[in-house]
Amino acid sequence: MKLYSTNNLNHQVSFKEAVFSSMPQDRGLYMPMVIERLDEDFLTNLGAYTLPEIAFYVAKHLLGDALPENDLQVIIKDAINFDAPLVELEENVYVLELFHGPSLAFKDFGARFMSRVMAYFLGENEKTLDVLVATSGDTGGAVALGFLGVPGTRVTILYPKGKVSGIQELQLTTNGQNVRAVEVEGTFDDCQALVKQAFVDGVLNQEFRLTSANSINIARLIPQTFYYFNAYAQLLRSGKTNVIFSVPSGNFGNIGAGILAWKLGLPVNHFIAATNANDTVPEFLRSGVYQPKPSVQTISNAMDVGDPSNWVRIRDMFKTEPAELGKLITAFSYTDEETLDAVQKIHLSYNYIVCPHTAIAWQALKDWQQDQPTGKSAGVFLSTAHPCKFPDVLPEPIAAEIVIPVQVKDLGSKQKQVTTLGKDFEGFKKYLLDNK
Ligand SMILES: *Cc1c(COP(=O)(O)O)cnc(C)c1O
């Protein structure tokens, strides 16, 4: 498998190099040179395969000779060891539950796969791999749990101080071992800027073997295609063949993976990108002008992104026919008030509790379906996190009904450890150098 930089087709690297360097020096993002349609037999018979089988098949197809089949099989088995069930809530409205992994968010797919791929490629006696990760809440937990105890690696998590929920903060700060947490006096964008700058800093690159675990890493994107195929497999088993996906979007890695799955041949009729007030992409699809903005804080804070990194990947997949992008994707954005309203409606209509991000995807799906009177597609909205991670922003009576999963029950009794830093790069650099 070869990958190129979206900023320079001639800058080509191996999968291993793309995984470890994460982002090309030219600040593009890595994309596979070849995105070939999957075998027709596989696509039409998807219903016959389990999630790990689908994952192995799709990964093998994309990665080619990047790693031996047996090793890939072991990685998949270990990483994709939880379910992603599709639940029907009403006719043509399904929720794809992606929160059954250890950190209770869909990011477990990406983080678990990536950490195991990195551990696999890491040679013995090599320099410690330093994973820098900026998080608005969920990434950090998934990455921390993905790498916890993996030999030869160390994880540094940066999160915006006071802007993550209680359970998220516990997931970030109570790990110990090879995982350390830094709270930054700033926004998620500030955290991401610090990480991005670290990757192009000469001194830091000399001192450390740096890599990113953010959704810009190609090893996080690839495993996120698996559950789109698996959702379709579940629909096929119940006799449905037309599907549209509504995806709660922040950094646009999740929906980017969906579009990659579509490129690989998954027959998706339409994608809905559902955002909160951070509406850079909805604005772009309306006006044709991509204008990054500073992020604004919302109750769906894992989507508080003003300049979504993965958007360049999506545009890149349409570089030969940019007009097609607007036909395949519709975007909606919602205020916090509308988000809460959706949470209430979902609770009332289905006796089902969603996190605020998920609520936005449901609302976008409903709004889209409203304009499609003859549409017979199964509408699938992605549930990206368990609602227990966001109790403070949900209406009190609904929050009180949430059943806390076993994964987080005993976090409160663990020791919390965190370092506080400003948002200036020099301070962050000093912290890294002082704590080698
Ligand atoms: C990360 C996250 C999102 C946004 O996903 P992107 O891939 O960044 O678009 C949505 N919901 C939750 C709960 C998340 O953690």
Side-chain angles (χ1 to χ4, degrees):
M1 181 197 207
K2 280 261 176 219
L3 300 103
Y4 63 90
S5 163
T6 52
N7 278 348
N8 178 5
L9 191 63
N10 295 319
H11 176 87
Q12 293 174 14
V13 298
S14 67
F15 179 57
K16 180 178 174 181
E17 191 179 337
V19 169
F20 282 134
S21 69
S22 206
M23 194 171 95
Q25 292 291 317
D26 62 21
R27 290 178 176 245
L29 291 183
Y30 287 119
M31 281 298 280
M33 289 292 292
V34 183
I35 304 176
E36 231 169 37
R37 202 178 156 81
L38 287 151
D39 196 70
E40 285 314 317
D41 272 355
F42 173 73
L43 290 169
T44 46
N45 291 314
L46 265 173
Y49 297 92
T50 65
L51 173 57
E53 286 167 351
I54 289 172
F56 175 64
Y57 194 96
V58 173
K60 189 175 64 148
H61 175 85
L62 265 174
L63 300 180
D65 57 1
L67 63 177
E69 268 189 32
N70 287 348
D71 296 313
L72 181 62
Q73 188 77 267
V74 170
I75 289 171
I76 295 277
K77 231 183 119 189
D78 191 32
I80 314 298
N81 64 348
F82 52 94
D83 238 3
L86 192 66
V87 179
E88 184 172 13
L89 295 177
E90 64 175 287
E91 199 186 351
N92 287 330
V93 176
Y94 296 80
V95 56
L96 180 61
E97 294 186 345
L98 300 175
F99 53 72
H100 294 284
S103 85
L104 308 175
F106 81 98
K107 292 188 170 81
D108 285 325
F109 282 89
R112 290 177 68 79
F113 182 78
M114 179 190 60
S115 58
R116 281 151 184 80
V117 166
M118 283 180 172
Y120 170 80
F121 280 134
L122 210 57
E124 272 173 48
N125 304 320
E126 281 189 34
K127 200 168 174 176
T128 297
L129 182 69
D130 261 291
V131 181
L132 300 184
V133 55
T135 182
S136 54
D138 276 351
T139 302
V143 169
L145 291 162
F147 277 96
L148 191 63
V150 173
T153 70
R154 174 170 62 177
V155 181
T156 307
I157 300 165
L158 285 79
Y159 68 92
K161 185 179 175 184
K163 294 192 173 81
V164 303
S165 79
I167 283 182
Q168 285 177 326
E169 188 156 24
L170 287 173
Q171 286 181 334
L172 300 176
T173 57
T174 58
N175 293 292
Q177 295 186 57
N178 58 334
V179 177
R180 57 187 181 177
V182 173
E183 55 178 10
V184 174
E185 286 165 332
T187 62
F188 165 69
D189 284 352
D190 293 323
C191 298
Q192 200 170 39
L194 288 176
V195 168
K196 280 189 176 178
Q197 200 169 341
F199 285 121
V200 292
D201 185 273
V203 175
L204 291 180
N205 276 289
Q206 199 146 35
E207 288 295 325
F208 303 103
R209 181 174 185 181
L210 295 178
T211 192
S212 156
N214 275 78
S215 54
I216 54 177
N217 195 301
I218 190 70
R220 277 195 48 193
L221 198 76
I222 289 169
Q224 291 181 5
T225 61
F226 305 159
Y227 49 73
Y228 286 94
F229 288 99
N230 190 56
Y232 192 73
Q234 292 174 74
L235 285 174
L236 281 181
R237 289 199 279 272
S238 58
K240 300 263 176 186
T241 52
N242 285 308
V243 62
I244 72 145
F245 286 105
S246 179
V247 188
S249 297
N251 230 347
F252 281 69
N254 198 357
I255 195 168
I259 293 165
L260 180 55
W262 169 80
K263 273 240 159 193
L264 290 165
L266 186 68
V268 182
N269 293 347
H270 205 72
F271 285 95
I272 299 169
T275 76
N276 57 28
N278 295 280
D279 62 353
T280 302
V281 167
E283 275 299 317
F284 166 75
L285 289 173
R286 234 187 319 275
S287 67
V289 180
Y290 185 83
Q291 182 59 55
K293 309 171 183 183
S295 65
V296 295
Q297 203 181 335
T298 73
I299 58 168
S300 48
N301 74 344
M303 311 195 319
D304 292 351
V305 184
D307 186 6
S309 305
N310 279 292
W311 186 246
V312 299
R313 280 201 167 111
I314 294 174
R315 290 180 81 166
D316 195 72
M317 285 189 270
F318 290 89
K319 60 178 175 290
T320 55
E321 47 205 343
E324 295 302 306
L325 193 157
K327 288 186 202 155
L328 185 71
I329 310 172
T330 305
F332 294 89
S333 80
Y334 297 96
T335 63
D336 280 352
E337 207 182 344
E338 290 166 325
T339 306
L340 281 178
D341 200 42
V343 170
Q344 304 261 24
K345 280 183 186 147
I346 293 165
H347 185 240
L348 211 69
S349 314
Y350 319 120
N351 194 25
Y352 187 83
I353 304 177
V354 295
C355 85
H357 315 79
T358 306
I360 288 175
W362 174 82
Q363 190 62 60
L365 174 63
K366 294 298 272 187
D367 287 345
W368 191 82
Q369 285 179 330
Q370 188 101 58
D371 294 335
Q372 312 284 324
T374 58
K376 285 195 285 293
S377 294
V380 174
F381 67 101
L382 276 56
S383 180
T384 45
H386 194 284
C388 77
K389 298 183 89 173
F390 308 91
D392 307 341
V393 299
L394 296 178
E396 184 91 45
I398 294 183
E401 275 184 43
I402 298 173
V403 180
I404 308 283
V406 287
Q407 289 98 318
V408 293
K409 274 213 170 112
D410 58 345
L411 280 181
S413 60
K414 292 193 180 170
Q415 178 76 29
K416 187 182 147 182
Q417 274 181 308
V418 63
T419 303
T420 310
L421 292 178
K423 62 184 179 185
D424 61 292
F425 180 68
E426 287 313 312
F428 177 51
K429 186 170 171 176
K430 185 171 185 311
Y431 164 81
L432 290 175
L433 293 170
D434 288 350
N435 295 279
K436 277 207 280 196

